[in-house]
Amino acid sequence: MTIAFTLAGCGLAGQGTGDQSAGGGKSSAAALKDLKKLQVKGRAPMTGYDRDKFGPAWSDVDHNGCDTRNDILKRDLKDETFKQGTHDCIVLTGILDDPYSGKTIKFERGQKTSMDVQIDHVVALADAWQKGAQQWPVSKRKELANDPLNLLAADGPLNSQKGAGDAATWLPPRRTYRCTYVSRQIEVKIKYDLWVTSAEKDAMQTVLNSC
């Protein structure tokens, strides 16, 4: 099964062979070339990290009247229903074809059910903090935290399992999505000038060489 997301001209396709698109509309070969452009350094300390350093969670940064979480749910779910009177902003229900596990997950808004589907930062914010973001102004950190390129609706427990992991410590269990996932991480890190560790780079190369 192949899952595809398209946003602002950035197509994402599942793993294939050769130069098939592996993420962000780029081939795995192109992602490998981009990987070589990233600085390789050790992790900076977590000192001073706080989620609030990346701005309020799920701001309406594009000023479309909807917060980022609902924007991504609306983008990534299918068969959505919306709360009346919200101009199709607040997603009540929907179906997620989870890219990380391959499972079909029913989303239902509510205190006991909303966390079944979470919005994952493809490059975790804590990982970004240790690889350059702590030197940024708040405005740039807020941009990263709300950038659709760095956001995916995903299985809640798997997102919690990932935590702040990079490619060296966590990859989606669904192997056919790993090329897309790693390529997208590279695209985010290129866009925001974040670095990688040597172990992370090695893990990314291993994944992309298998595409």
Side-chain angles (χ1 to χ4, degrees), residues 85-210:
T86 66
H87 303 288
D88 287 353
C89 268
I90 297 180
V91 180
L92 293 179
T93 63
I95 304 295
L96 174 68
D97 290 327
D98 177 45
Y100 291 168
S101 67
K103 296 188 301 183
T104 298
I105 302 172
K106 292 183 179 180
F107 170 79
E108 182 178 352
R109 183 181 177 87
Q111 284 190 333
K112 295 182 179 180
T113 55
S114 284
M115 295 304 286
D116 291 345
V117 173
Q118 297 178 17
I119 307 302
D120 179 39
H121 287 95
V122 178
V123 173
L125 300 185
D127 181 61
W129 180 262
Q130 293 182 285
K131 296 170 183 174
Q134 61 183 281
Q135 307 299 327
W136 299 350
V138 173
S139 58
K140 186 174 179 180
R141 291 198 291 263
K142 184 177 180 181
E143 181 184 351
L144 172 69
N146 292 278
D147 188 339
L149 178 66
N150 194 37
L151 297 170
L152 275 180
D155 176 81
L158 282 180
N159 184 43
S160 297
Q161 179 192 92
K162 170 186 172 178
D166 61 19
T169 58
W170 191 89
L171 289 168
R174 183 176 172 234
R175 291 180 177 273
T176 53
Y177 194 73
R178 288 181 178 179
C179 285
T180 303
Y181 177 77
V182 166
S183 297
R184 192 157 177 169
Q185 284 191 323
I186 292 169
E187 189 169 1
V188 171
K189 292 203 166 192
I190 285 282
K191 180 176 180 179
Y192 288 93
D193 197 25
L194 294 164
W195 68 75
V196 291
T197 65
S198 58
E200 180 183 8
K201 182 177 182 180
D202 288 346
M204 287 174 159
Q205 285 178 325
T206 297
V207 169
L208 292 172
N209 282 330
S210 73

Side-chain angles (χ1 to χ4, degrees), residues 70-88:
N70 279 289
D71 280 340
I72 300 304
L73 288 173
K74 187 174 180 179
R75 184 194 71 184
D76 291 354
L77 300 183
K78 62 184 181 183
D79 299 332
E80 306 100 318
T81 64
F82 301 92
K83 185 175 181 179
Q84 286 188 332
T86 66
H87 303 288
D88 287 353

